[in-house]
Amino acid sequence: METNKETGTRIDEIASGIFRISTPVPPAEMPGGFTFNQYLIVDDAPLLYHTGTRRLFPLVQEAIASVIPPHSLRYIGFSHYEADECGSLNDFLEVAPKAEPLCSTIAKMVTIDDIATRPAHALADGEELSLGTHVVRWIDTPHLPHAWECGHLFEKTTQTLFCGDLFTQSGHEHDPLTTGDILENSEGMRDAMDYFSQTRRVHELIEKLALTSPQVLACMHGSAWQGDGASLLRQLAGRLAA
Ligand SMILES: [Fe+2]
Ligand SMILES: [Fe+2]
């Protein structure tokens, strides 16, 4: 584990070759405290999933540099178009000359090919991409939890689901990886912030994610979680139905 002593930004391996970068935001800056996480898959073609906001760029870059040279990044992936997901996309494209934005076909068509300094590499629903040892699969989940272009990435060899804003937890002090409950915290956030869309397809889309049988849920806010991911996703579906 490497930590920036000033900001508390840390990087920890949470599955084989998969690193969680996390920056805490104390309660004085955001009520209740919060965290912004990015994930780095170290492989022949290294992939950064989520960039963090532009303000976080130096910290995320520094954390990556403690593991691999940032210029070696090959893909900059993200669930949907928001500042914490891809705010510093162009900064990373500048640092890493071979990197491509990696996103859904809708994200490429609607937004990314306009705002990014290089064209996006879009993945269709179910399409797989080999990074060397790791293999990622894109799963379209429009509007789950929000944004038309939204999708989630699944890494097959470690059975890690990069589940983005699903299971968003409040607080700024979290273990990198936990087997404890994250659902009650994230349900509290859903209640307070109302960040889920009202898509009619919510159950079908959550089931699509559950069918990957994830063993690790790489959450964007809070701890990553280890356990029976399909069961936890179905519990979430039950809460959304209530
Ligand atoms: Fe989001
Ligand atoms: Fe987010």
Side-chain angles (χ1 to χ4, degrees), residues 36 80 82 84-85 146 164-165 168 220-221:
F36 291 101
H80 53 278
E82 274 184 331
D84 55 336
E85 275 79 4
H146 48 243
D165 290 332
T168 286
M220 191 176 178
H221 309 283

Side-chain angles (χ1 to χ4, degrees), residues 139-165:
I139 303 165
D140 277 341
T141 58
H143 310 290
L144 178 72
H146 48 243
W148 177 26
E149 70 279 8
C150 190
H152 300 288
L153 199 69
F154 177 67
E155 199 290 306
K156 285 168 74 177
T157 65
T158 57
Q159 290 181 274
T160 298
L161 179 66
F162 298 90
C163 62
D165 290 332

